[in-house]
Amino acid sequence: MKALVALADGTTFAGESFGATGESIGEMVFNTSMTGYQEILTDPSYAGQIVSMTYPLIGNYGVNDDDDESNQPHVRGFVVRECSRIHSNWRSSQSLPAYLEAHGVMGIEGIDTRQLTRRVRIRGVMNAAISTLDLDPGSLVAKARAWQGLEGVDLVKEVSCASAYEQAPDKPRHHVVAFDFGIKRNIVNKLVEAGCRVTVVPATTSADEAMALEPDGIFLSNGPGDPRPLDYAIETCKNLIGKRPIFGICLGHEILGLAFGAEIFRLKFGHRGANQPIVEHATDRILITSENHGWGIRGDSLPDFLDITRNNLNDGCVEGLHHKELPIFSIQCHPEASPGPHDSFHLFDYFTELMERA
């Protein structure tokens, strides 16, 4: 079936649909990963976004029952150069088109994703509309332009769990309360592997409610969108500072920065992929990391009691913070990977070390 992609800058791309049919509006972003499309589709951090993959062939290893990062896809659309109908992998349970159709997610192929990526890199992330119903370029562009966008919108409440749940190893050494701002399953898995009993709580959980669970540490998860509207999360973070060791990832890193009075800015087209290089200043090592964020912390707005521990080598973005006196640290990348390299797994063990010292 014919399909159309329309950007708010007036650019349109004609292609063909795979997966569900219909119409969807979201923020157009691109991801530079070569693999890991199932994890990307189900990462709650992509809520509200249409994702275009820069790698030209997607779907060749299908979809399996184990690699979902949440219970459903969260993207509003998926754009690729070519989708493989033939899936060949011993773990595969179904094809990518069948998976998208089952979950009501639109997929579009057959467009020049290099040109699409170039438009986003030049103009920045922008509103977009995709459709199999409205193939009139002017009409679809108008719909993209009329959409309010994601800036200033609280997407966390759409993806956070409704009630607390727990996951633990056989012999846990620590108890971690993890705030679910859009937490990925592999984050919980890595905390468990590090010896932690993890109680995942809704994003709106108060500091008093979290402390009543008697945690050894507090974890602030990844999540979608603009961190600035999350007043409840920022206030909770402020009230937890100094009470327990705190570890923040991605959106959690940004929330922690806001709680300390730092300023947040929007990146032009964000960091989304499994190949972002960052420098770890304490070791002078270069880590290749998985990232998915469109916002960053202004380094010159940080208070003196916070150290910048890591920076992105592509654009200098602040990738890590550490409190000079308190056991509090954060990272902008996704150390749990999934997809991506394992260069930052050590941060989960470091969190357990902080809890042991506290």
Side-chain angles (χ1 to χ4, degrees):
M1 182 177 293
K2 292 182 179 180
L4 191 66
V5 178
L7 304 182
D9 71 350
T11 309
T12 59
F13 301 86
E16 296 180 350
S17 72
F18 67 96
T21 57
E23 191 167 292
S24 183
I25 300 176
E27 181 180 80
M28 179 63 73
V29 300
F30 63 86
N31 187 293
T32 58
S33 300
M34 296 173 67
T35 61
Y37 50 82
Q38 182 177 346
E39 294 92 325
I40 291 165
L41 290 167
T42 55
D43 180 352
S45 298
Y46 284 105
Q49 296 178 325
I50 300 169
V51 178
S52 173
M53 301 297 292
T54 61
Y55 192 71
L57 180 62
I58 299 295
N60 57 316
Y61 58 85
V63 175
N64 64 69
D65 299 328
D66 301 318
D67 287 346
D68 283 349
E69 285 298 323
S70 65
N71 59 5
Q72 65 182 42
H74 292 276
V75 301
R76 293 192 179 176
F78 197 49
V79 180
V80 303
R81 179 68 184 91
E82 180 182 349
C83 176
S84 176
R85 267 64 175 177
I86 300 174
H87 53 104
S88 178
N89 185 278
W90 67 274
R91 298 172 69 233
S92 177
S93 59
Q94 63 181 318
S95 70
L96 176 58
Y99 178 80
L100 292 182
E101 185 174 9
H103 289 281
V105 177
M106 293 183 63
I108 296 181
E109 67 170 332
I111 73 166
D112 188 344
T113 51
R114 293 175 299 177
Q115 183 183 357
L116 174 58
T117 301
R118 181 173 173 80
R119 298 298 296 181
V120 175
R121 280 181 58 90
I122 292 172
R123 300 292 181 91
V125 294
M126 67 184 83
N127 294 356
I130 58 176
S131 183
T132 59
L133 306 175
D134 184 355
L135 302 181
D136 177 75
S139 173
L140 205 57
V141 167
K143 292 176 182 178
R145 289 174 175 170
W147 184 56
Q148 66 175 350
L150 298 182
E151 192 164 348
V153 176
D154 181 356
L155 293 170
V156 167
K157 289 181 180 178
E158 296 181 13
V159 299
S160 183
C161 60
S163 59
Y165 62 94
E166 189 171 287
Q167 190 170 324
D170 292 335
K171 297 180 179 180
R173 300 189 304 274
H174 309 285
H175 179 211
V176 172
V177 168
F179 282 80
D180 179 10
F181 303 129
I183 197 167
K184 292 173 62 182
R185 286 177 177 169
N186 206 42
I187 289 177
V188 179
N189 293 340
K190 290 303 173 187
L191 288 169
V192 170
E193 288 177 15
C196 301
R197 173 168 66 96
V198 183
T199 302
V200 181
V201 298
T204 54
T205 302
S206 70
D208 288 342
E209 290 170 332
M211 292 301 297
L213 297 171
E214 300 182 348
D216 300 309
I218 300 293
F219 178 79
L220 308 174
S221 86
N222 65 294
D226 186 348
R228 298 172 303 173
L230 310 179
D231 294 339
Y232 54 92
I234 298 166
E235 186 63 24
T236 295
C237 188
K238 287 179 181 179
N239 292 331
L240 289 169
I241 290 170
K243 295 181 179 179
R244 292 292 188 275
I246 300 176
F247 177 20
I249 286 179
C250 201
L251 183 67
H253 161 81
E254 296 159 9
I255 289 171
L256 193 60
L258 287 168
F260 281 123
E263 295 178 7
I264 296 289
F265 73 102
R266 188 170 195 182
L267 279 68
K268 185 175 182 180
F269 48 81
H271 300 158
R272 296 178 181 88
N275 48 11
Q276 287 285 329
I278 68 173
V279 57
E280 187 175 66
H281 298 306
T283 61
D284 205 30
R285 293 188 301 168
I286 307 304
L287 308 178
I288 305 302
T289 66
S290 178
E291 298 199 1
N292 169 27
H293 63 107
W295 300 82
I297 294 175
R298 291 196 183 278
D300 57 6
S301 72
L302 290 167
D304 293 337
F305 53 77
L306 290 179
D307 278 332
I308 297 176
T309 57
R310 296 165 184 83
N311 287 96
N312 188 289
L313 291 178
N314 286 333
D315 60 7
C317 191
V318 174
E319 291 282 350
L321 298 175
H322 202 298
H323 199 288
K324 292 181 179 179
E325 298 178 1
L326 299 174
I328 298 173
F329 76 109
S330 62
I331 188 79
Q332 181 70 80
C333 74
H334 282 259
E336 83 289 348
S338 192
H342 302 170
D343 296 24
S344 301
F345 277 2
H346 62 284
L347 294 174
F348 293 97
D349 290 329
Y350 179 65
F351 185 37
T352 63
E353 292 174 13
L354 290 182
M355 288 187 283
E356 289 167 1
R357 297 177 200 165

